[in-house]
Amino acid sequence: MRSHLLNDATAESYRRSVIEGVERVADKLATTRRPFTGVTPADLAPVIDAVDLDKPLGDTSAALDELESVYLRDAVYFHHPRYLGHLNCPVVIPAVLGEAVLSAVNSSLDTWDQSAGGTLIERKLIDWTTSRIGLGPAADGVFTSGGTQSNLQALLLAREEAKTDDLAKLRIFSSECSHFSVQKSATLLGLGADAVISIPVDRTKRMQSVVLAAELEACRAEGLVPMAIVATAGTTDFGSIDPLPEIAALASEYGAWMHVDAAYGCGLLASPTRRHLLDGIERADSVTVDYHKSFFQPVSSSAVLVRDGSTLRHATYHADYLNPRQPVAMEAPPTSEGLWGKVPNQVDKSLQTTRRFDALKLWMTLRVMGADGVGELFDEVCDLAAAGFELLAADPRYDVVVEPQLSTLVYRYIPEAVTSPAEIDRANLYARKALFASGEAVVAGTKVDGRQYLKFTLLNPETTTADIAAVLDLIAGHAEQYLGETLVHA
Ligand SMILES: *Cc1c(COP(=O)(O)O)cnc(C)c1O
């Protein structure tokens, strides 16, 4: 079994195995004609069930053959131009290369003595990001597993910085379109069930700052404490960006922590043409970015950034075995910088302990393509969404909700013949499911004012307006078929 350990003696076998795996995936990518096969859980469950995990195949080629039927054949492929579903991006090759390297070396970014240069690479990328945001010289941050964790950590810092220990008094303000991780974080942080005050959005799905101001005033009048305002820079459904400068002004007026959830909109930080859409973000106390959404990075790759690096101490805990409070060398400083001089331990800033070197993927991406390269790709999908909006707005079969600021389109099929709103809901839901089952394209769904809508999240620069038009035809076909059948049976 030692032959499977990756080390000096097995370097050649490592090379062969990985190349064999890469060949299979490359072949798959080259021959995949649809984003999905339409397989159902009932189809696939027996295939997985039939695998006996206690009877290993013992051989890489055999395991790869099996992988074809248990995973690769029926996976949902985000690189396909007709995958228009959730906030998943096709990934760039330098990042995938970075992924292969970081797994093989397997650094853990909690302490310097488990990563060395990896720690410095992560810190440099954090500095790069905070300077793109404009957070100033004291800024800092850390890579996280995703936007959910970044939001949780940001709100933890906000809670610790709040001017009361009475958790029941703390209030968080975020728009009705903010991500559910805000509510989840409030619960995890021990705040009350009504700690999150949902602020309505305007027609363009941006937080109404006038209502926010009124709610902040009411909060103060009731003797409650405005702990944080969460502005979303790129809502998950609409890509709408809350009015950051107005929110920043209110945050400072009411002494609230300003968190900007830019999990989706962070791609604008690299955009050569649209960076201004994030104006005001530089006034945030903390920012969430998901490189795995709009920087074309493989999952996971995310970070939380803070204006004042010292606030990260609220996530600092010490263990004698890992990052002792008083390193020996500090008690008795040696003459020079010393063997253990100033050792940067990223665990001091993180909710995680053992932690992936995700930063390497972004590093490779920036070193090969540069920030403009990434930003141009994100610009392309924003341009595509604008063109898609024109298509939808001109199409009598569809109602489209809002002109996109980023790269999502929310719309619904509206039949010519008069039917009930509930029937229209069902037709749209049916069309989405039928499309998924056909595997021809993948779209998402959401609700707007209680009604069923469909959603394109456009993150693939290879998707064209012709793809969008073709998918709209497919959806209309499925919806019409559904309505036709229900009429027949009525
Ligand atoms: C996706 C998303 C999140 C959650 O990020 P994960 O990486 O999925 O954990 C948070 N906020 C917004 C606005 C998002 O779109």
Side-chain angles (χ1 to χ4, degrees), residues 87 146-149 151 179 181 232 234 236 261 263-264 290 292-293:
L87 271 165
T148 303
Q149 190 188 350
N151 284 347
H179 193 261
S181 54
T232 311
T236 313
D261 180 356
Y264 176 13
D290 260 0
H292 63 216
K293 282 183 181 157

Side-chain angles (χ1 to χ4, degrees), residues 87 144-151 177-182 231-237 261-265 288-290 292-293 299-302:
L87 271 165
T144 68
S145 63
T148 303
Q149 190 188 350
S150 296
N151 284 347
C177 292
S178 64
H179 193 261
F180 69 74
S181 54
V182 174
T232 311
T235 57
T236 313
D237 267 351
D261 180 356
Y264 176 13
T288 286
V289 297
D290 260 0
H292 63 216
K293 282 183 181 157
V299 177
S300 57
S301 182
S302 178

Side-chain angles (χ1 to χ4, degrees), residues 172-184:
I172 299 170
F173 301 81
S174 68
S175 98
E176 57 179 313
C177 292
S178 64
H179 193 261
F180 69 74
S181 54
V182 174
Q183 182 66 58
K184 200 189 253 189

Side-chain angles (χ1 to χ4, degrees), residues 326-359:
Q326 292 264 295
V328 178
M330 283 176 127
E331 286 169 350
T335 43
S336 67
E337 257 292 276
L339 283 178
W340 289 88
K342 284 203 179 100
V343 181
N345 289 327
Q346 294 292 86
V347 70
D348 295 347
K349 306 172 183 177
S350 176
L351 300 185
Q352 293 167 263
T353 308
T354 305
R355 191 162 53 83
R356 289 165 54 82
F357 183 22
D358 286 318

Side-chain angles (χ1 to χ4, degrees), residues 48 121 227 285 316 349 379 382 420 465:
I48 312 278
I121 286 176
M227 174 188 122
D285 293 297
T316 308
K349 306 172 183 177
D379 270 353
C382 294
S420 70
T465 46

Side-chain angles (χ1 to χ4, degrees), residues 159-296:
R159 185 191 74 182
E160 296 303 297
E161 291 286 310
K163 289 161 200 74
T164 177
D165 290 334
D166 186 352
L167 297 188
K169 285 199 164 153
L170 296 176
R171 292 294 177 271
I172 299 170
F173 301 81
S174 68
S175 98
E176 57 179 313
C177 292
S178 64
H179 193 261
F180 69 74
S181 54
V182 174
Q183 182 66 58
K184 200 189 253 189
S185 300
T187 306
L188 288 169
L189 292 170
L191 309 189
D194 37 41
V196 179
I197 298 191
S198 179
I199 307 295
V201 293
D202 63 15
R203 273 187 316 107
T204 62
K205 305 296 176 188
R206 305 163 79 223
M207 188 195 285
Q208 293 189 34
S209 48
V210 177
V211 181
L212 173 64
E215 289 288 354
L216 284 163
E217 193 52 43
C219 177
R220 183 192 268 171
E222 289 169 44
L224 302 171
V225 179
M227 174 188 122
I229 306 172
V230 177
T232 311
T235 57
T236 313
D237 267 351
F238 303 99
S240 46
I241 299 170
D242 287 339
L244 303 177
E246 283 97 316
I247 291 171
L250 287 166
S252 77
E253 186 181 339
Y254 286 88
W257 179 280
M258 178 183 178
H259 176 62
V260 177
D261 180 356
Y264 176 13
C266 61
L268 297 174
L269 294 171
S271 163
T273 63
R274 288 176 166 84
R275 170 62 180 81
H276 63 276
L277 291 174
L278 290 179
D279 284 353
I281 195 174
E282 69 285 352
R283 296 170 67 183
D285 293 297
S286 57
V287 177
T288 286
V289 297
D290 260 0
Y291 307 107
H292 63 216
K293 282 183 181 157
S294 47
F295 274 71
F296 306 94

